[in-house]
Amino acid sequence: MLSILGFSMIAVFMYLIMSKRLSALVAIMLVPIVFGVIGGFFTELGPMMQEGVEGIASTAIMILFAILYFGIMIDSGLFDPLISKILKIVKGDPLKIVLGTAILSMTVALDGDGTTTYIITVSALLPLYKRLGMNKIILATVAMLSMGVMNMTPWGGASAMAMASLNIDASELFLPMIPVMGFGLIWVLVVAFILGKGERKRLGVVEIQHNHTKEMNSEANSELAATTVSHDYRRPKLVWFNFILTIVLMASLIIDFMSLTILFMVAFAIALLVNYPDLKDQQDRIAIHSKNALAVVSIVIAAGIFTGIMSGTKMIDAMAITLVSLIPESIGPFLPVIVAYASAPFTFFMSNNAFYFGVLPIIAQAADAYGISAAEIGRASIIGQPIHVLSPLVAAAHLLIGLVGTDFGDLQRFAVKWALGTVTVMTIAAIILGVI
């Protein structure tokens, strides 16, 4: 009965959010409460929910301060010298332009926000693509491939949901994935090289007059200013300080000598104080980025109710037993590899919320029967993100289409094979490195 109740709850939850009857934030809190009451757990629900929320509080706090930190870095102009340098280096060579697109989008995607990544990358480089007559779908494809890999950071959405639904921390899920992501980014550069070489062969290297270059730089910079933040908040004199602070933060994350939550809290406090010592400026910067932060953090905290009830009522255990009985014993040990590939279509056709909170916990519990840890399943589940970012369910994808001025179907047909290549490269790397 618990198994039936659990699967029914998942089905109702997924139906409600996929049909847009309820928002994911509301459904993830109310649906498990209703089914908990139906299951006769009325008096025990409070402690279950409390335990679930407490279990993921640290993850939610880490995500909040990570988003705020990278927001401050973008506002202060940390990436402006990179944009200017790329525009100077690439000149009229299509190959360099596509490689520059990859490097810029990878760097900006550090904040885990597709919207910011696409706005900055397209605003900086679209004038060059137009001037040289390059295929704008290449710009969109390379930006999406970069975002697909960088979305695997703990503050990027998918990893946050995986950590929340499986109740594991960032050091278990994310740190082993850093070299895997490295291979993914190398693959993106390889793709950019292949596509850029094709454009160079088609168009040749175009000599751009000096005044044309200045005009493009001006156009890119004006669009960048309009789409990100007023120049009043740029801090060009603090670029080196912000760069060193970010490098130290990244190194500290990898060394793992302190909680990721504390690291981001301290780094954010330092960045805010040094860049914006005036209290009013600090309040403005926090207010600007609070919308993006609230959207991610609220769903992670709300997921504590979902996971708390699922585990507290033992529904997840009953569902896993049912699933294990249906999985042929011969393929059980290969579940992580299956999940790595299956996460691609799952997160393409359904939202990340539905997959990570509805499907993943059941798979993880079933994998436990084969001695496979939840962290391993969690790592495998985020490898499919390069396909997910191509989904029409992703709001940022529609923004990218609008900015570039192309058709969704054309972009998907062009990009899907390269995105699948990213998933394959990262899956192979994860197996070789023992991550899954």
Side-chain angles (χ1 to χ4, degrees):
M1 282 302 295
L2 276 177
S3 179
I4 293 169
L5 193 68
F7 281 114
S8 301
M9 183 179 85
I10 297 298
V12 170
F13 167 70
M14 290 171 66
Y15 167 75
L16 288 172
I17 64 172
M18 291 175 75
S19 64
K20 301 196 185 319
R21 295 287 195 281
L22 287 179
S23 69
L25 181 63
V26 172
I28 208 165
M29 289 188 283
L30 296 187
V31 171
I33 292 173
V34 170
F35 276 85
V37 171
I38 292 170
F41 296 97
F42 185 75
T43 56
E44 300 103 316
L45 286 180
M48 288 177 192
M49 291 186 283
Q50 180 71 24
E51 189 177 340
V53 171
E54 287 176 356
I56 59 170
S58 180
T59 297
I61 295 166
M62 183 271 293
I63 292 164
L64 169 65
F65 283 96
I67 291 170
L68 291 175
Y69 176 82
F70 285 112
I72 293 296
M73 290 298 106
I74 289 170
D75 288 355
S76 66
L78 174 62
F79 303 115
D80 288 358
L82 176 65
I83 293 170
S84 300
K85 192 76 176 171
I86 287 172
L87 289 172
K88 283 178 186 172
I89 291 172
V90 298
K91 295 182 180 173
D93 186 347
L95 173 57
K96 291 179 182 176
I97 290 169
V98 181
L99 284 170
T101 305
I103 293 166
L104 178 60
S105 54
M106 284 174 192
T107 308
V108 182
L110 261 174
D111 78 333
D113 179 30
T115 302
T116 308
T117 301
Y118 297 152
I119 286 174
I120 293 178
T121 305
V122 174
S123 297
L125 293 169
L126 185 59
L128 271 171
Y129 277 77
K130 285 179 177 176
R131 187 62 54 90
L132 272 65
M134 293 175 64
N135 186 353
K136 292 182 290 184
I137 289 180
I138 291 176
L139 169 58
T141 297
V142 172
M144 275 187 153
L145 291 177
S146 300
M147 191 63 228
V149 178
M150 297 306 290
N151 200 41
M152 294 162 66
T153 55
W155 49 92
S159 293
M161 292 175 194
M163 289 186 292
S165 68
L166 300 178
N167 199 17
I168 54 178
D169 61 35
S171 60
E172 286 181 278
L173 184 130
F174 174 63
L175 292 183
M177 289 298 291
I178 291 174
V180 176
M181 289 174 64
F183 278 98
L185 294 175
I186 290 169
W187 167 256
V188 174
L189 289 172
V190 170
V191 172
F193 181 84
I194 293 168
L195 296 176
K197 201 157 187 185
E199 286 295 271
R200 182 199 266 177
K201 187 176 180 182
R202 184 172 71 89
L203 299 167
V205 177
V206 181
E207 284 296 323
I208 301 177
Q209 297 298 318
H210 181 64
N211 61 329
H212 285 178
T213 306
K214 283 174 67 179
E215 183 186 329
M216 281 188 294
N217 285 350
S218 172
E219 186 181 343
N221 289 336
S222 65
E223 286 189 49
L224 181 63
T227 51
T228 52
V229 66
S230 163
H231 278 294
D232 292 345
Y233 293 102
R234 289 288 193 258
R235 297 292 184 263
K237 292 179 181 176
L238 292 172
V239 165
W240 277 109
F241 171 81
N242 289 327
F243 177 72
I244 292 167
L245 179 62
T246 303
I247 292 296
V248 170
L249 174 60
M250 292 296 110
S252 301
L253 293 179
I254 295 168
I255 295 168
D256 193 27
F257 76 97
M258 191 186 293
S259 158
L260 271 69
T261 303
I262 302 301
L263 282 171
F264 271 110
M265 290 175 73
V266 173
F268 166 72
I270 294 170
L272 189 65
L273 180 63
V274 173
N275 286 278
Y276 306 103
D278 183 79
L279 188 59
K280 179 69 168 63
D281 288 344
Q282 292 180 7
Q283 291 170 338
D284 288 345
R285 292 306 91 213
I286 293 171
I288 285 287
H289 299 289
S290 60
K291 183 180 177 183
N292 182 30
L294 183 64
V296 179
V297 175
S298 60
I299 194 80
V300 172
I301 294 172
I305 290 179
F306 190 94
T307 55
I309 291 175
M310 284 278 281
S311 57
T313 58
K314 305 294 183 188
M315 272 194 256
I316 190 75
D317 296 322
M319 293 160 73
I321 290 167
T322 303
L323 195 62
V324 167
S325 67
L326 297 174
I327 297 173
E329 203 164 321
S330 57
I331 70 165
F334 301 101
L335 266 176
V337 179
I338 295 168
V339 169
Y341 272 103
S343 66
F346 264 120
T347 57
F348 182 88
F349 291 110
M350 65 172 70
S351 68
N352 269 351
N353 293 312
F355 175 68
Y356 287 105
F357 295 122
V359 178
L360 187 63
I362 305 168
I363 297 173
Q365 198 72 10
D368 188 56
Y370 298 97
I372 300 165
S373 69
E376 199 171 335
I377 292 295
R379 291 175 209 137
S381 73
I382 62 175
I383 290 176
Q385 286 303 291
I387 296 289
H388 165 73
V389 296
L390 289 170
S391 171
L393 298 173
V394 179
H398 293 280
L399 170 69
L400 178 62
I401 295 300
L403 289 171
V404 173
T406 187
D407 179 72
F408 217 126
D410 291 342
L411 174 61
Q412 287 177 331
R413 280 190 291 275
F414 185 88
V416 70
K417 61 179 178 291
W418 303 112
L420 191 58
T422 314
V423 173
T424 302
V425 166
M426 290 197 294
T427 302
I428 293 170
I431 294 168
I432 291 172
L433 295 170
V435 174
I436 65 169

Coordinates of all heavy atoms in Angstrom, one line a residue, residues 113-186:
D113 N 23.5 30.8 -13.9 CA 22.3 31.3 -14.4 C 22.3 31.4 -15.9 O 23.1 32.2 -16.5 CB 22.0 32.7 -13.7 CG 20.7 33.4 -14.2 OD1 19.8 32.6 -14.6 OD2 20.7 34.6 -14.3
G114 N 21.5 30.7 -16.6 CA 21.4 30.7 -18.0 C 21.1 32.0 -18.6 O 21.6 32.4 -19.6
T115 N 20.1 32.7 -18.0 CA 19.7 34.0 -18.5 C 20.9 35.0 -18.6 O 21.1 35.6 -19.6 CB 18.6 34.6 -17.5 OG1 17.5 33.7 -17.5 CG2 18.1 35.9 -18.0
T116 N 21.6 35.1 -17.5 CA 22.8 36.0 -17.5 C 23.8 35.6 -18.5 O 24.4 36.4 -19.3 CB 23.5 36.0 -16.1 OG1 22.5 36.3 -15.1 CG2 24.5 37.1 -16.0
T117 N 24.1 34.3 -18.6 CA 25.1 33.8 -19.5 C 24.7 34.1 -21.0 O 25.6 34.6 -21.7 CB 25.2 32.2 -19.4 OG1 25.6 31.9 -18.0 CG2 26.2 31.7 -20.3
Y118 N 23.5 33.9 -21.3 CA 23.1 34.1 -22.7 C 23.1 35.6 -23.0 O 23.5 36.0 -24.1 CB 21.7 33.5 -22.9 CG 21.7 32.0 -22.8 CD1 20.5 31.3 -22.4 CD2 22.8 31.2 -23.1 CE1 20.4 30.0 -22.3 CE2 22.8 29.8 -22.9 CZ 21.6 29.2 -22.5 OH 21.5 27.8 -22.4
I119 N 22.6 36.4 -22.1 CA 22.5 37.9 -22.4 C 23.9 38.4 -22.6 O 24.2 39.2 -23.6 CB 21.8 38.6 -21.2 CG1 20.3 38.4 -21.2 CG2 22.1 40.1 -21.3 CD1 19.6 38.9 -20.0
I120 N 24.9 38.1 -21.7 CA 26.2 38.7 -21.8 C 26.9 38.2 -23.1 O 27.5 38.9 -23.8 CB 27.0 38.4 -20.6 CG1 26.4 39.2 -19.4 CG2 28.5 38.8 -20.8 CD1 27.1 38.9 -18.1
T121 N 26.9 36.8 -23.3 CA 27.6 36.2 -24.4 C 27.0 36.7 -25.8 O 27.8 37.2 -26.6 CB 27.4 34.7 -24.4 OG1 27.9 34.2 -23.1 CG2 28.2 34.0 -25.5
V122 N 25.7 36.7 -25.9 CA 25.1 37.2 -27.2 C 25.3 38.7 -27.4 O 25.7 39.1 -28.5 CB 23.6 36.8 -27.2 CG1 23.0 37.4 -28.5 CG2 23.4 35.3 -27.2
S123 N 25.2 39.5 -26.3 CA 25.3 40.9 -26.5 C 26.8 41.3 -26.9 O 27.0 42.2 -27.7 CB 25.0 41.6 -25.1 OG 23.7 41.4 -24.8
A124 N 27.7 40.6 -26.4 CA 29.1 40.8 -26.7 C 29.5 40.4 -28.1 O 30.3 41.1 -28.8 CB 30.0 40.2 -25.7
L125 N 29.0 39.2 -28.6 CA 29.5 38.6 -29.8 C 28.6 38.6 -31.0 O 29.0 38.4 -32.1 CB 30.0 37.2 -29.5 CG 31.2 37.1 -28.5 CD1 31.4 35.7 -28.0 CD2 32.4 37.6 -29.2
L126 N 27.3 38.8 -30.8 CA 26.4 38.8 -31.9 C 26.7 39.8 -33.0 O 26.6 39.5 -34.2 CB 24.9 39.0 -31.4 CG 23.8 38.9 -32.5 CD1 23.9 37.5 -33.2 CD2 22.5 39.1 -32.0
P127 N 27.2 41.1 -32.6 CA 27.6 42.0 -33.7 C 28.7 41.5 -34.6 O 28.6 41.7 -35.8 CB 28.1 43.2 -32.9 CG 27.4 43.1 -31.6 CD 27.3 41.7 -31.3
L128 N 29.6 40.7 -34.0 CA 30.7 40.1 -34.8 C 30.1 39.1 -35.8 O 30.5 39.0 -37.0 CB 31.7 39.4 -33.9 CG 32.9 40.3 -33.5 CD1 33.7 39.6 -32.4 CD2 33.8 40.7 -34.6
Y129 N 29.2 38.2 -35.3 CA 28.6 37.2 -36.1 C 27.8 37.8 -37.3 O 27.9 37.3 -38.4 CB 27.6 36.3 -35.3 CG 28.3 35.2 -34.5 CD1 29.0 35.5 -33.3 CD2 28.3 33.9 -34.9 CE1 29.7 34.5 -32.6 CE2 28.9 32.9 -34.2 CZ 29.6 33.2 -33.1 OH 30.2 32.1 -32.4
K130 N 27.1 38.9 -37.0 CA 26.4 39.6 -38.0 C 27.3 40.2 -39.1 O 27.0 40.1 -40.3 CB 25.5 40.7 -37.4 CG 24.2 40.1 -36.7 CD 23.5 41.3 -36.1 CE 22.2 40.8 -35.4 NZ 21.5 42.0 -34.7
R131 N 28.3 40.9 -38.6 CA 29.2 41.6 -39.5 C 29.9 40.6 -40.5 O 30.1 41.0 -41.6 CB 30.2 42.4 -38.7 CG 31.2 43.3 -39.5 CD 30.4 44.4 -40.2 NE 29.5 45.1 -39.3 CZ 30.0 46.2 -38.6 NH1 31.2 46.7 -38.8 NH2 29.1 46.9 -37.8
L132 N 30.3 39.5 -40.0 CA 31.0 38.5 -40.8 C 30.1 37.6 -41.6 O 30.5 36.8 -42.4 CB 32.0 37.7 -40.0 CG 33.4 38.3 -39.8 CD1 33.3 39.6 -39.0 CD2 34.3 37.3 -39.1
G133 N 28.8 37.6 -41.3 CA 27.8 36.7 -42.0 C 27.9 35.3 -41.4 O 27.6 34.3 -42.2
M134 N 28.3 35.1 -40.2 CA 28.5 33.8 -39.6 C 27.1 33.2 -39.2 O 26.1 34.0 -39.0 CB 29.4 33.8 -38.4 CG 30.8 34.1 -38.7 SD 31.9 34.3 -37.2 CE 31.8 32.7 -36.5
N135 N 27.0 31.9 -39.1 CA 25.8 31.2 -38.7 C 25.5 31.5 -37.2 O 26.2 31.1 -36.3 CB 26.0 29.7 -38.9 CG 24.7 29.0 -38.7 OD1 23.7 29.5 -38.2 ND2 24.7 27.7 -39.0
K136 N 24.4 32.2 -36.9 CA 24.1 32.6 -35.6 C 23.7 31.4 -34.7 O 23.8 31.4 -33.5 CB 22.9 33.6 -35.6 CG 23.3 35.0 -36.2 CD 22.1 35.9 -36.1 CE 21.0 35.5 -37.1 NZ 19.9 36.5 -37.1
I137 N 23.3 30.3 -35.4 CA 22.9 29.1 -34.6 C 24.2 28.5 -33.9 O 24.1 27.9 -32.8 CB 22.3 28.0 -35.5 CG1 20.9 28.4 -36.0 CG2 22.2 26.6 -34.9 CD1 20.2 27.5 -36.9
I138 N 25.4 28.7 -34.5 CA 26.6 28.3 -33.9 C 26.8 29.1 -32.6 O 27.2 28.5 -31.5 CB 27.8 28.5 -34.8 CG1 27.7 27.5 -36.0 CG2 29.1 28.4 -34.1 CD1 28.8 27.7 -37.0
L139 N 26.5 30.4 -32.6 CA 26.6 31.2 -31.3 C 25.7 30.6 -30.2 O 26.1 30.4 -29.1 CB 26.2 32.6 -31.6 CG 26.0 33.6 -30.4 CD1 27.3 33.7 -29.6 CD2 25.6 35.0 -31.0
A140 N 24.5 30.3 -30.6 CA 23.5 29.8 -29.6 C 23.9 28.4 -29.2 O 23.8 28.1 -28.0 CB 22.1 29.7 -30.3
T141 N 24.4 27.5 -30.1 CA 24.8 26.2 -29.8 C 26.0 26.1 -28.8 O 25.9 25.4 -27.8 CB 25.2 25.4 -31.0 OG1 24.0 25.3 -31.9 CG2 25.7 24.0 -30.7
V142 N 27.0 26.9 -29.0 CA 28.2 26.9 -28.2 C 27.8 27.5 -26.8 O 28.3 26.9 -25.8 CB 29.3 27.7 -28.8 CG1 30.5 27.9 -27.9 CG2 29.8 27.0 -30.1
A143 N 27.0 28.5 -26.8 CA 26.6 29.1 -25.5 C 25.8 28.0 -24.7 O 26.0 27.9 -23.5 CB 25.8 30.3 -25.7
M144 N 24.9 27.3 -25.4 CA 24.1 26.3 -24.7 C 25.0 25.1 -24.2 O 24.7 24.6 -23.1 CB 23.0 25.7 -25.6 CG 21.8 26.6 -25.6 SD 20.5 25.8 -26.6 CE 19.0 26.4 -25.8
L145 N 25.9 24.7 -25.0 CA 26.8 23.6 -24.6 C 27.6 24.0 -23.3 O 27.7 23.2 -22.4 CB 27.8 23.2 -25.7 CG 27.2 22.6 -27.0 CD1 28.3 22.3 -28.0 CD2 26.5 21.2 -26.6
S146 N 28.1 25.2 -23.3 CA 28.8 25.7 -22.1 C 27.9 25.7 -20.9 O 28.3 25.3 -19.8 CB 29.4 27.1 -22.3 OG 30.2 27.1 -23.4
M147 N 26.7 26.2 -21.1 CA 25.7 26.3 -20.0 C 25.4 24.9 -19.5 O 25.2 24.7 -18.3 CB 24.5 27.0 -20.5 CG 23.5 27.4 -19.4 SD 24.3 28.5 -18.2 CE 23.8 27.8 -16.6
G148 N 25.3 23.9 -20.4 CA 24.9 22.5 -20.1 C 25.9 21.9 -19.1 O 25.5 21.2 -18.2
V149 N 27.2 22.2 -19.3 CA 28.2 21.7 -18.4 C 28.2 22.5 -17.1 O 28.2 21.9 -16.0 CB 29.6 21.8 -19.1 CG1 30.7 21.3 -18.1 CG2 29.6 20.9 -20.3
M150 N 28.2 23.8 -17.2 CA 28.3 24.7 -16.0 C 27.1 24.6 -15.1 O 27.1 25.0 -14.0 CB 28.6 26.1 -16.4 CG 30.0 26.3 -17.2 SD 31.4 25.6 -16.2 CE 31.5 26.8 -14.9
N151 N 26.0 24.2 -15.7 CA 24.8 24.0 -14.9 C 24.9 22.9 -13.8 O 24.0 22.7 -13.0 CB 23.6 23.7 -15.8 CG 22.2 24.0 -15.2 OD1 22.1 25.0 -14.5 ND2 21.3 23.2 -15.4
M152 N 26.0 22.2 -13.9 CA 26.2 21.1 -12.9 C 26.8 21.6 -11.6 O 27.0 20.8 -10.7 CB 27.1 20.0 -13.6 CG 26.4 19.3 -14.8 SD 27.6 18.5 -15.9 CE 28.2 17.2 -14.8
T153 N 27.2 22.9 -11.6 CA 27.7 23.4 -10.3 C 26.6 23.4 -9.2 O 25.4 23.3 -9.5 CB 28.1 24.9 -10.5 OG1 27.0 25.6 -11.0 CG2 29.3 25.0 -11.4
P154 N 27.0 23.3 -7.9 CA 26.0 23.1 -6.9 C 24.9 24.2 -6.8 O 23.8 24.0 -6.3 CB 26.8 23.1 -5.6 CG 28.2 22.8 -6.0 CD 28.3 23.3 -7.4
W155 N 25.2 25.4 -7.3 CA 24.3 26.5 -7.3 C 23.6 26.7 -8.7 O 22.9 27.6 -8.9 CB 25.0 27.8 -7.0 CG 26.3 28.0 -7.8 CD1 26.3 28.7 -8.9 CD2 27.6 27.6 -7.5 NE1 27.6 28.7 -9.4 CE2 28.4 28.0 -8.5 CE3 28.1 26.8 -6.4 CZ2 29.8 27.7 -8.6 CZ3 29.5 26.5 -6.5 CH2 30.3 27.0 -7.5
G156 N 23.8 25.7 -9.6 CA 23.2 25.8 -10.9 C 21.8 25.3 -11.1 O 21.3 25.4 -12.2
G157 N 21.2 24.7 -10.2 CA 19.8 24.2 -10.3 C 19.7 22.7 -10.2 O 19.2 22.2 -9.3
A158 N 20.3 22.0 -11.2 CA 20.2 20.5 -11.2 C 20.9 19.9 -10.0 O 20.3 19.0 -9.3 CB 20.8 20.0 -12.5
S159 N 22.1 20.3 -9.8 CA 22.8 19.7 -8.6 C 22.2 20.1 -7.3 O 22.1 19.3 -6.4 CB 24.3 20.3 -8.6 OG 25.0 19.8 -9.7
A160 N 21.6 21.3 -7.2 CA 20.9 21.7 -6.0 C 19.7 20.8 -5.7 O 19.5 20.4 -4.6 CB 20.5 23.2 -6.2
M161 N 19.0 20.5 -6.8 CA 17.8 19.7 -6.6 C 18.2 18.2 -6.3 O 17.6 17.6 -5.5 CB 17.0 19.7 -7.9 CG 16.3 21.0 -8.2 SD 15.5 21.0 -9.8 CE 15.2 22.8 -10.0
A162 N 19.3 17.7 -7.0 CA 19.8 16.4 -6.7 C 20.2 16.3 -5.2 O 19.9 15.3 -4.5 CB 20.9 16.0 -7.6
M163 N 21.0 17.3 -4.7 CA 21.4 17.3 -3.3 C 20.2 17.3 -2.4 O 20.2 16.7 -1.3 CB 22.4 18.5 -3.1 CG 23.7 18.3 -3.8 SD 24.9 19.7 -3.3 CE 24.1 21.1 -4.1
A164 N 19.2 18.1 -2.7 CA 18.1 18.3 -1.8 C 17.2 17.0 -1.8 O 16.8 16.5 -0.7 CB 17.2 19.5 -2.3
S165 N 17.0 16.4 -3.0 CA 16.2 15.2 -3.0 C 16.8 14.0 -2.4 O 16.1 13.1 -1.9 CB 15.7 14.9 -4.5 OG 16.8 14.5 -5.3
L166 N 18.2 13.9 -2.5 CA 18.9 12.7 -2.0 C 19.5 13.0 -0.6 O 20.1 12.1 0.0 CB 20.0 12.3 -3.0 CG 19.5 11.9 -4.4 CD1 20.7 11.6 -5.2 CD2 18.5 10.8 -4.3
N167 N 19.3 14.3 -0.2 CA 19.9 14.7 1.2 C 21.4 14.4 1.3 O 21.8 13.8 2.2 CB 19.1 14.0 2.3 CG 19.3 14.7 3.6 OD1 19.7 15.9 3.6 ND2 19.0 14.1 4.7
I168 N 22.1 14.8 0.3 CA 23.6 14.7 0.3 C 24.2 16.1 0.2 O 23.5 17.0 -0.3 CB 24.1 13.8 -0.8 CG1 23.6 14.3 -2.2 CG2 23.7 12.4 -0.6 CD1 24.1 13.4 -3.4
D169 N 25.4 16.3 0.6 CA 26.0 17.7 0.5 C 26.8 17.8 -0.7 O 27.1 16.9 -1.4 CB 26.7 18.0 1.8 CG 27.9 17.1 2.1 OD1 28.6 16.7 1.1 OD2 28.2 16.9 3.2
A170 N 27.3 19.1 -1.0 CA 28.0 19.4 -2.2 C 29.3 18.7 -2.3 O 29.7 18.4 -3.4 CB 28.2 21.0 -2.2
S171 N 30.0 18.5 -1.2 CA 31.3 17.8 -1.2 C 31.2 16.4 -1.7 O 32.0 15.9 -2.4 CB 32.0 17.9 0.1 OG 31.2 17.2 1.1
E172 N 30.0 15.7 -1.4 CA 29.8 14.4 -1.9 C 29.5 14.3 -3.4 O 30.0 13.5 -4.1 CB 28.7 13.7 -1.1 CG 29.0 13.3 0.3 CD 27.7 12.7 0.9 OE1 26.9 13.4 1.4 OE2 27.7 11.4 1.0
L173 N 28.6 15.3 -3.8 CA 28.1 15.2 -5.2 C 29.0 16.0 -6.1 O 29.4 15.4 -7.2 CB 26.7 15.8 -5.2 CG 26.0 15.7 -6.6 CD1 24.7 15.1 -6.5 CD2 25.9 17.1 -7.3
F174 N 29.4 17.2 -5.8 CA 30.0 18.1 -6.8 C 31.5 17.9 -6.9 O 32.0 17.8 -8.0 CB 29.7 19.5 -6.4 CG 30.4 20.5 -7.3 CD1 30.2 20.6 -8.6 CD2 31.3 21.4 -6.7 CE1 30.9 21.5 -9.4 CE2 32.0 22.4 -7.5 CZ 31.8 22.4 -8.8
L175 N 32.2 17.8 -5.8 CA 33.7 17.8 -5.9 C 34.3 16.7 -6.8 O 35.2 16.9 -7.6 CB 34.3 17.7 -4.5 CG 34.1 19.0 -3.6 CD1 34.8 18.8 -2.3 CD2 34.6 20.2 -4.3
P176 N 33.7 15.4 -6.7 CA 34.2 14.4 -7.6 C 33.9 14.7 -9.1 O 34.5 14.1 -10.0 CB 33.5 13.1 -7.1 CG 33.1 13.4 -5.7 CD 32.8 14.9 -5.7
M177 N 32.9 15.6 -9.3 CA 32.5 15.9 -10.7 C 33.3 16.9 -11.3 O 33.2 17.2 -12.6 CB 31.0 16.3 -10.7 CG 30.0 15.2 -10.4 SD 30.0 13.8 -11.6 CE 29.4 14.7 -13.0
I178 N 34.1 17.6 -10.6 CA 34.9 18.7 -11.2 C 35.8 18.3 -12.3 O 35.8 18.9 -13.4 CB 35.8 19.4 -10.1 CG1 34.8 20.2 -9.1 CG2 36.8 20.4 -10.7 CD1 35.6 20.8 -7.9
P179 N 36.6 17.2 -12.2 CA 37.4 16.7 -13.4 C 36.5 16.3 -14.5 O 36.8 16.4 -15.7 CB 38.2 15.6 -12.8 CG 37.6 15.2 -11.5 CD 36.9 16.4 -11.0
V180 N 35.3 15.7 -14.2 CA 34.4 15.3 -15.2 C 33.9 16.5 -16.0 O 33.8 16.5 -17.2 CB 33.2 14.5 -14.6 CG1 32.1 14.1 -15.7 CG2 33.7 13.2 -13.9
M181 N 33.5 17.5 -15.3 CA 33.1 18.8 -15.9 C 34.3 19.3 -16.8 O 34.0 19.9 -17.8 CB 32.7 19.8 -14.9 CG 31.4 19.5 -14.2 SD 31.0 20.6 -12.9 CE 30.8 22.2 -13.7
G182 N 35.5 19.2 -16.3 CA 36.7 19.6 -17.1 C 36.7 18.9 -18.4 O 36.9 19.6 -19.5
F183 N 36.5 17.6 -18.5 CA 36.4 16.9 -19.8 C 35.3 17.4 -20.6 O 35.4 17.6 -21.9 CB 36.3 15.4 -19.5 CG 37.6 14.7 -19.2 CD1 37.9 14.4 -17.9 CD2 38.5 14.4 -20.3 CE1 39.2 13.8 -17.6 CE2 39.7 13.8 -20.0 CZ 40.0 13.5 -18.7
G184 N 34.1 17.8 -20.0 CA 33.0 18.3 -20.7 C 33.3 19.6 -21.4 O 33.0 19.9 -22.5
L185 N 34.1 20.5 -20.6 CA 34.4 21.8 -21.1 C 35.5 21.7 -22.3 O 35.4 22.4 -23.2 CB 35.0 22.7 -20.0 CG 34.0 23.1 -18.9 CD1 34.7 23.9 -17.8 CD2 32.8 23.9 -19.5
I186 N 36.4 20.7 -22.2 CA 37.3 20.4 -23.2 C 36.6 20.0 -24.5 O 36.9 20.5 -25.6 CB 38.4 19.4 -22.8 CG1 39.3 19.9 -21.7 CG2 39.2 18.9 -24.0 CD1 40.2 18.9 -21.1

